Amino acid sequence: MKALLVISHGSRRDESNMEVQRLTDTVRPLVSERFGIVEAAFLELASPLIPDGISLCVSQGAKEILILPYFLAAGRHVAEDIPEIVAASQKRHPDVSMTIAPHLGGSELMAEFLAGSACLPQE
Amino acid sequence: MKALLVISHGSRRDESNMEVQRLTDTVRPLVSERFGIVEAAFLELASPLIPDGISLCVSQGAKEILILPYFLAAGRHVAEDIPEIVAASQKRHPDVSMTIAPHLGGSELMAEFLAGSACLPQE
């Protein structure tokens, strides 16, 4: 069973965290052929934190977890914090394959997405 | 003249800030029919800061500035900090129209974008 774990920063503002949870709920059926499990987790300030999100996937039977950093730029959180946290979880779940995908903002199509009508109000 | 100002958080990691600048450079020709000026600015930790980014647009002749929060979730930065900073700049440039667009993550198409091949590695 494959899992997709969407990692975002987390906010003191509940609405912000709920926004990411809603996004994850919307993504779930879109990727159901590839991922039997789709969950969200947070780097800080909100639950579940990344190790708990990983455990949540494992408890549902995940043998492979793709971790998607839902971040726009590869700052220290993406470059250092997330890999360190995932590496620590990997040690606790040595039989589960964990891969960190490129961060969302690294997509070659981001500029096009930003420029598109979805993001910029039309005249 | 209309300007598009892409606001991101800013990072202590230069590469992260350069990533946003490169994105802005890629967006510029894609929106050139609507925006004669396209610049990036940062909430903190990197230059130009938002007030300087706004001044940069004004110095190039911007009469209208669309401010796009390049953020995925509407945490305090999006909900409070950016509006406050823009409001202060608005007072310094009363003859320039400034509008804050919805943050990038608020796009209805984000889930589809995330689920698409651009972001998730294919089998």
Side-chain angles (χ1 to χ4, degrees), chain A residues 5-12 16-17 20-21 39-54 67-89 100 103, chain B residues 9 11 73:
Chain A
L5 186 62
V6 178
I7 306 289
S8 68
H9 186 283
S11 171
R12 287 185 184 82
S16 171
N17 303 321
V20 177
Q21 287 285 5
E39 299 289 351
F42 300 91
L43 178 64
E44 58 187 35
L45 302 174
S47 302
L49 294 173
I50 298 173
D52 298 326
I54 287 174
I67 291 146
L68 176 67
Y70 189 60
F71 285 74
L72 286 171
R76 291 185 309 164
H77 294 322
V78 169
E80 299 171 18
D81 300 340
I82 294 176
E84 283 175 13
I85 294 168
V86 170
S89 282
I100 302 178
H103 66 293
Chain B
H9 186 284
S11 171

Side-chain angles (χ1 to χ4, degrees), chain B residues 66-87:
Chain B
L66 180 65
I67 291 147
L68 176 67
Y70 188 61
F71 285 73
L72 286 171
R76 292 184 309 164
H77 294 322
V78 169
E80 299 170 19
D81 299 340
I82 292 175
E84 284 175 14
I85 293 168
V86 170

